[in-house]
Amino acid sequence: MGGQVKRAFKFRFYPTEAQAVELSRTFGCVRKVYNLALQARSEAWTQRGERVDYEATSALLTAWKRTEELAFLGEVSAVPLQQGLRHLQAAFGNFFAKRARFPRFKSRKRSRASAEYTRSAFRWRDGTLTLAKMAAPLDIRWSRSLPDGVAPSTVTVSRDAAGRWFVSLLCEDPSVAPLPVTDAVVGIDVGLDHLLVLSTGEKIANPRHERRDRERLVKAQRALCRKQKGSSNRDKARVKVARVHARMADRRTDHLHKITTRLVRDNQTLVIEDLAVSNMVGNHCLARAIGDAGWRQCRQMLEYKARWFGREVIAVDRWFPSSKLCSVCGALAAEMPLQVRAWTCGCGATLDRDVNAARNILAAGLAVTVCGAGVRPQRNTPGGQSVTKQKNLRREP
């Protein structure tokens, strides 16, 4: 694996006024080309039953540049525009493979402003990065160093809703290699009272980043509501709200990185639950707390870090009744209300609800590795509906 893993290194940078103008134009052109190509592909299929691929949209881009209406597309680098068409092709590939829904049009206000440059559109020399159509290199704040002797293969420049500029350098990282094999295994149960509960008995607290900044967020949102739509003051207020959200997101990401890195380094096998987070956030009483906990982001980090370092992540079926199953004797309790945090089984074992669930998740995951079959035990009620596991979810104040 060493030398084969491509890793993105993200840094913040501060563009000059001319660079900011050029990048903003590029973002707009990328969005315009993406929307035009999406419209052309959609119309070709719905009206004529034709499939338009990347090569056809690339030819359309050349024709668009020759028109008077879209001549401005030729004023920016062509590479980010071509990359936008490739991203659209990938989006359609994911849609046809049923991994994602149909591609949507990009919005100027809601979509992420970004542009991707390949090697032909940037110059990397002596640790400085200069993009196409720019005379001076970017003023990047190097918070960490890139791998020695490795040049980036792709550069992605973006601007978030808070007005911050970032550059992401995709490089092959030879330092990423499988860790020594260990016998340690762990089961992980997620929740809101505690962010993670491990089968070892360790409970990782939930920092509740959103709650810490809730007063500041409410104040900023109220100020935004009082501003007239379309005014400059409303745009300034919107940026203030975005900065609060960015502050919370940065804290959450940093915390999850530290936790997941430690878990992957210390354990050979990690067993988690295959939760349908997108369905769970449909509960308006819990959506804010679930989103703040970052369960989906935590799982994604565990999975890609496990691939990097030669670990294994096993997902146990979401219907597995881990909270109601005794981890000592295997007896299944008929009911387990959410307010019950500890209970005594008929075998005499006193069980902590969350630790017991983590141990059951671990046992189910190890059974998958031994038997090679999925784990989906469930009970049916007289009405034929399955009884789902009750998670440690409490209503947020």
Side-chain angles (χ1 to χ4, degrees):
M1 182 179 293
Q4 300 296 323
V5 174
K6 287 191 174 182
R7 187 176 180 182
F9 294 84
K10 189 175 181 179
F11 305 94
R12 190 171 179 180
F13 76 97
Y14 296 85
T16 63
E17 184 176 354
Q19 290 174 340
V21 171
E22 179 63 28
L23 289 174
S24 297
R25 293 174 59 196
T26 304
F27 294 159
C29 291
V30 170
R31 183 177 60 251
K32 181 68 173 179
V33 168
Y34 185 95
N35 290 340
L36 287 173
L38 176 56
Q39 181 179 2
R41 295 182 67 148
S42 301
E43 291 179 350
W45 175 254
T46 56
Q47 297 177 8
R48 301 184 298 275
E50 300 177 358
R51 283 196 175 185
V52 179
D53 56 8
Y54 164 75
E55 287 74 14
T57 54
S58 180
L60 287 175
L61 174 59
T62 303
W64 291 335
K65 291 181 179 180
R66 294 172 180 172
T67 64
E68 182 178 355
E69 181 183 2
L70 300 175
F72 62 88
L73 296 177
E75 300 175 0
V76 300
S77 174
V79 172
L81 306 184
Q82 295 287 350
Q83 291 300 103
L85 296 179
R86 290 188 174 94
H87 293 164
L88 179 61
Q89 179 68 24
F92 271 101
N94 292 330
F95 169 71
F96 291 127
K98 298 183 178 180
R99 292 189 297 264
R101 56 183 174 181
F102 193 82
R104 294 176 294 176
F105 291 97
K106 292 184 178 294
S107 169
R108 182 176 63 86
K109 294 184 178 180
R110 295 181 177 87
S111 299
R112 177 171 174 261
S114 65
E116 185 176 275
Y117 296 79
T118 57
R119 288 179 176 175
S120 61
F122 67 85
R123 183 172 67 253
W124 174 259
R125 185 177 300 169
D126 298 330
T128 60
L129 177 67
T130 306
L131 301 178
K133 302 287 186 178
M134 295 185 184
L138 300 181
D139 182 15
I140 302 176
R141 303 305 163 91
W142 301 101
S143 56
R144 54 180 173 173
S145 58
L146 295 180
D148 294 336
V150 176
S153 59
T154 304
V155 172
T156 302
V157 181
S158 61
R159 183 185 61 218
D160 65 5
R164 303 179 301 176
W165 296 83
F166 295 96
V167 58
S168 179
L169 309 177
L170 186 64
C171 308
E172 287 190 356
D173 191 357
S175 64
V176 177
L179 296 172
V181 178
T182 177
D183 295 331
V185 294
V186 66
I188 304 173
D189 181 62
V190 299
L192 298 180
D193 209 15
H194 293 89
L195 181 61
L196 300 177
V197 178
L198 309 183
S199 57
T200 58
E202 179 184 357
K203 296 184 178 181
I204 301 175
N206 186 358
R208 303 182 187 274
H209 303 286
E210 187 271 341
R211 180 181 293 182
R212 292 172 58 186
D213 285 338
R214 185 175 300 175
E215 184 177 349
R216 180 181 301 181
L217 178 61
V218 169
K219 183 178 179 181
Q221 289 175 332
R222 286 176 178 172
L224 175 62
C225 292
R226 290 194 292 265
K227 300 299 185 293
Q228 183 179 358
K229 291 185 178 181
S231 64
S232 298
N233 287 335
R234 185 176 178 85
D235 289 338
K236 295 177 183 178
R238 180 191 55 78
V239 172
K240 291 183 179 180
V241 174
R243 286 175 179 170
V244 180
H245 280 293
R247 174 188 174 94
M248 294 187 293
D250 289 345
R251 287 178 172 178
R252 182 184 308 112
T253 302
D254 179 70
H255 183 64
L256 291 177
H257 269 302
K258 293 175 180 177
I259 294 174
T260 54
T261 298
R262 175 172 68 89
L263 291 176
V264 170
R265 289 186 179 276
D266 295 345
N267 300 277
Q268 182 66 33
T269 303
L270 303 97
V271 187
I272 59 177
E273 282 185 292
D274 186 20
L275 296 177
V277 179
S278 57
N279 295 338
M280 299 174 73
V281 295
N283 184 341
H284 68 278
C285 297
L286 299 171
R288 181 172 60 186
I290 293 175
D292 184 44
W295 292 346
R296 180 180 298 172
Q297 187 178 10
C298 180
R299 175 174 176 172
Q300 291 173 345
M301 290 181 180
L302 286 175
E303 289 177 339
Y304 80 73
K305 290 178 182 180
R307 290 193 298 269
W308 282 1
F309 300 112
R311 304 308 198 195
E312 183 181 14
V313 175
I314 302 174
V316 174
D317 193 273
R318 69 192 62 164
W319 302 110
F320 179 61
S322 57
S323 295
K324 297 188 291 184
L325 192 67
C326 176
S327 58
V328 178
C329 67
L332 183 64
E335 297 292 338
M336 188 62 60
L338 290 176
Q339 63 268 22
V340 177
R341 310 316 305 168
W343 56 289
T344 302
C345 179
C347 66
T350 301
L351 306 169
D352 179 279
R353 180 193 184 100
D354 302 325
V355 176
N356 177 68
R359 290 172 178 170
N360 285 326
I361 291 171
L362 174 60
L366 296 180
V368 173
T369 61
V370 174
C371 302
V375 178
R376 192 183 177 88
Q378 51 181 310
R379 293 188 304 123
N380 290 333
T381 63
Q385 296 179 348
S386 61
V387 179
T388 65
K389 175 196 169 186
Q390 294 177 312
K391 293 298 301 172
N392 174 22
L393 303 179
R394 296 181 178 177
R395 181 173 296 183
E396 287 287 291

